[in-house]
């Protein structure tokens, strides 16, 4: 899921975004509020997954940006062939159910490929636990003892550290 924070309503899309799809098919999707399951027509194009009320609809209900998303087969909710789509860029987890294992695996692979299309993902759950500074006169400051021991055991001299 990328460039869009949260799933995006159809009014923010252009039909060219779903008219040359890489994959289409009918899947069941869990609703966001009532948590009921409804059949929806899904269209995967580039790095967006759109879902429509039916195959005959001209505009999607929503689009899910897939850049840097996580997609996996899920065992949650006791349902077979369940696909879980999540991202740090939106708060919701999407659950989609395929009719069988083969179709489930096909969709997972296609969504994975779409999510990787834009290159390296953004970091997430980043924690800054150690701050190491470098002074050209004295060397490293704030280096944890185990890091310092590793640096010393590597055979790199103090002069090499100061030079590089």
């Amino acid at each position: 899921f990328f460039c869009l924070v949260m799933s995006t309503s159809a009014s923010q899309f252009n039909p060219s975004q779903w008219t040359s799809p890489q994959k289409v098919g009918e899947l069941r999707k869990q609703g966001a509020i009532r948590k009921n399951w409804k059949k929806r027509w899904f269209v995967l194009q580039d790095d967006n997954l759109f879902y429509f009320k039916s195959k005959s609809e001209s505009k999607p209900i929503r689009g899910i940006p897939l850049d840097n998303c996580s997609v996996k087969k899920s065992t949650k909710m006791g349902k077979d062939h369940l696909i879980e789509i999540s991202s740090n860029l939106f708060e919701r987890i999407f659950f989609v159910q395929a009719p069988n294992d083969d179709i489930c695996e096909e969709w997972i692979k296609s969504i994975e490929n779409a999510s990787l299309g834009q290159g390296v993902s953004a970091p997430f759950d980043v924690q800054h636990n150690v701050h190491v500074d470098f002074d050209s006169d004295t060397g490293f400051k704030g280096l944890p003892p185990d890091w310092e021991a590793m640096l010393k055991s590597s055979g790199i001299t103090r002069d090499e550290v100061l030079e590089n």
Side-chain angles (χ1 to χ4, degrees), residues 69-82:
C69 78
S70 169
V71 59
K72 63 183 178 180
K73 192 169 186 178
S74 178
T75 57
K76 294 179 181 173
M77 296 181 254
K79 295 208 175 268
D80 293 328
H81 328 298
L82 191 62

Side-chain angles (χ1 to χ4, degrees), residues 68-111:
N68 302 320
C69 78
S70 169
V71 59
K72 63 183 178 180
K73 192 169 186 178
S74 178
T75 57
K76 294 179 181 173
M77 296 181 254
K79 295 208 175 268
D80 293 328
H81 328 298
L82 191 62
I83 302 167
E84 181 178 325
I85 305 169
S86 62
S87 171
N88 289 335
L89 299 180
F90 53 83
E91 297 134 16
R92 180 173 167 198
I93 297 174
F94 290 86
F95 290 101
V96 179
Q97 187 179 29
N100 60 51
D101 270 340
D102 289 340
I103 293 174
C104 181
E105 291 301 324
E106 288 173 14
W107 275 101
I108 288 172
K109 285 179 186 175
S110 296
I111 293 169

Side-chain angles (χ1 to χ4, degrees), residues 4-18 41 43 48-54 57-65 94:
L4 307 166
V5 177
M6 192 57 182
S7 63
T8 308
S9 67
S11 64
Q12 295 174 313
F13 289 111
N14 181 306
S16 67
Q17 292 179 284
W18 60 80
W41 183 254
V43 174
N48 285 295
L49 179 63
F50 300 95
Y51 58 94
F52 298 72
K53 190 171 185 177
S54 70
E57 294 291 317
S58 62
K59 289 191 175 183
I61 297 170
R62 293 217 178 267
I64 304 170
F94 290 86

Side-chain angles (χ1 to χ4, degrees), residues 30-48:
Q30 185 187 46
I33 298 170
R34 290 193 190 144
K35 305 296 182 195
N36 57 336
W37 292 85
K38 292 185 178 180
K39 287 183 181 179
R40 295 291 184 232
W41 183 254
F42 281 81
V43 174
L44 176 65
Q45 183 171 320
D46 299 326
D47 52 6
N48 285 295

Side-chain angles (χ1 to χ4, degrees), residues 15-33:
S16 67
Q17 292 179 284
W18 60 80
T19 53
S20 299
Q22 284 87 30
K23 185 159 187 62
V24 297
E26 187 175 78
L27 304 169
R28 290 174 18 117
K29 187 188 83 57
Q30 185 187 46
I33 298 170

